[in-house]
Amino acid sequence: MELLRMSKAAKRLGIHPMTLRQWALDGKIPFAWVGRERRFSSVDVENMKRASDFSTSRPRLELLYVRVSGSSGQESSLEAQETELRATSTGEIVKVVKDRGSGLKENRPGLNRVLAMVSDGSVTVVRVTHEDRLARFGVSWLKRLFAVYGVTVEVLYPKKLGGRDELLEDFGLLVTTFAGRLYGMRSAENRKRLLAESGQCSDQDRAA
């Protein structure tokens, strides 16, 4: 394996170095820092080239993903996202997946459907209006996973954050989640302590 400078890696891929730089920033291709320079594995570059060559021969099969944070209401927001994505579509729309729930939740029904369709080859492009519709954190990892299956993520309005209310809701969810885990840990510790004091601590509790 060879670590390629950006100019050499871009030449192998047949793209401009600035395009490769943006791919690296978007998480489409891994890179390593050597001093202050980005270097690209020759293996990753060849895999990207093969995926690119393959994708050009594949039909453009789009999956449109729209999401709102609330469990009820906000139908107008879902419809608005779908309308914008449909209006800018340049391929066949295979599926529109709608989700309700915070972007911090990993186990969303809609997101699970997206992952299933990406992995079974049903789509070649996943499109969203804003990056945070797909997830609040870890979008770069999702892009890398999708790239393994030759699927790209397209964002209609890059780098634009969601509304203030949803950010506050996400913050509340974080606090609630960690508070619940901390309370559960303390409850388990208190239970073992009380059982030990009463002489009723089981072997299983002692081993925990």
Side-chain angles (χ1 to χ4, degrees):
M1 182 189 73
E2 181 184 0
L3 286 178
L4 307 174
R5 291 178 181 272
M6 183 176 293
S7 58
K8 188 173 182 179
K11 185 176 181 179
R12 286 196 185 182
L13 290 167
I15 59 175
H16 193 278
M18 291 304 294
T19 300
L20 180 57
R21 179 180 181 276
Q22 189 59 50
W23 284 6
L25 292 174
D26 291 341
K28 292 181 179 180
I29 183 170
F31 66 90
W33 288 104
V34 176
R36 295 185 177 182
E37 288 187 53
R38 288 184 178 86
R39 298 289 179 90
F40 300 85
S41 161
S42 57
V43 175
D44 290 330
V45 169
E46 289 304 315
N47 287 340
M48 177 67 76
K49 189 175 186 302
R50 282 196 296 269
S52 178
D53 292 341
F54 179 56
S55 64
T56 56
S57 65
R58 300 171 72 192
R60 182 179 170 87
L61 305 176
E62 299 183 5
L63 184 155
L64 311 184
Y65 179 76
V66 299
R67 181 184 65 79
V68 292
S69 60
S71 58
S72 61
Q74 297 181 295
E75 281 77 9
S76 59
S77 178
L78 288 173
E79 292 174 2
Q81 292 176 54
E82 181 179 346
T83 298
E84 287 188 286
L85 292 171
R86 284 187 178 277
T88 53
S89 172
T90 58
E92 178 187 350
I93 298 175
V94 176
K95 183 76 173 178
V96 178
V97 176
K98 300 180 180 181
D99 232 345
R100 294 179 179 276
S102 169
L104 291 173
K105 292 182 178 179
E106 297 175 347
N107 191 27
R108 281 174 269 142
L111 182 59
N112 288 337
R113 286 197 294 274
V114 171
L115 293 170
M117 293 186 71
V118 166
S119 63
D120 68 16
S122 300
V123 297
T124 59
V125 183
V126 174
R127 301 185 65 234
V128 292
T129 54
H130 300 86
E131 192 173 89
D132 65 357
R133 295 303 87 193
L134 194 58
R136 284 293 185 186
F137 304 104
V139 173
S140 61
W141 293 106
L142 285 174
K143 289 180 178 179
R144 289 189 182 188
L145 174 63
F146 291 0
V148 171
Y149 297 99
V151 176
T152 58
V153 175
E154 291 184 357
V155 182
L156 192 56
Y157 303 112
K159 305 299 182 183
K160 185 176 180 181
L161 296 177
R164 177 175 177 273
D165 290 342
E166 187 169 357
L167 286 172
L168 289 173
E169 183 174 339
D170 286 343
F171 177 74
L173 180 62
L174 275 173
V175 172
T176 301
T177 299
F178 282 105
R181 289 179 180 177
L182 182 61
Y183 178 78
M185 291 169 62
R186 287 179 175 175
S187 296
E189 290 171 357
N190 289 335
R191 176 174 173 273
K192 286 195 292 184
R193 178 177 58 80
L194 291 172
L195 287 174
E197 290 176 354
S198 64
Q200 298 177 11
C201 185
S202 66
D203 293 338
Q204 183 177 358
D205 287 325
R206 291 191 184 95

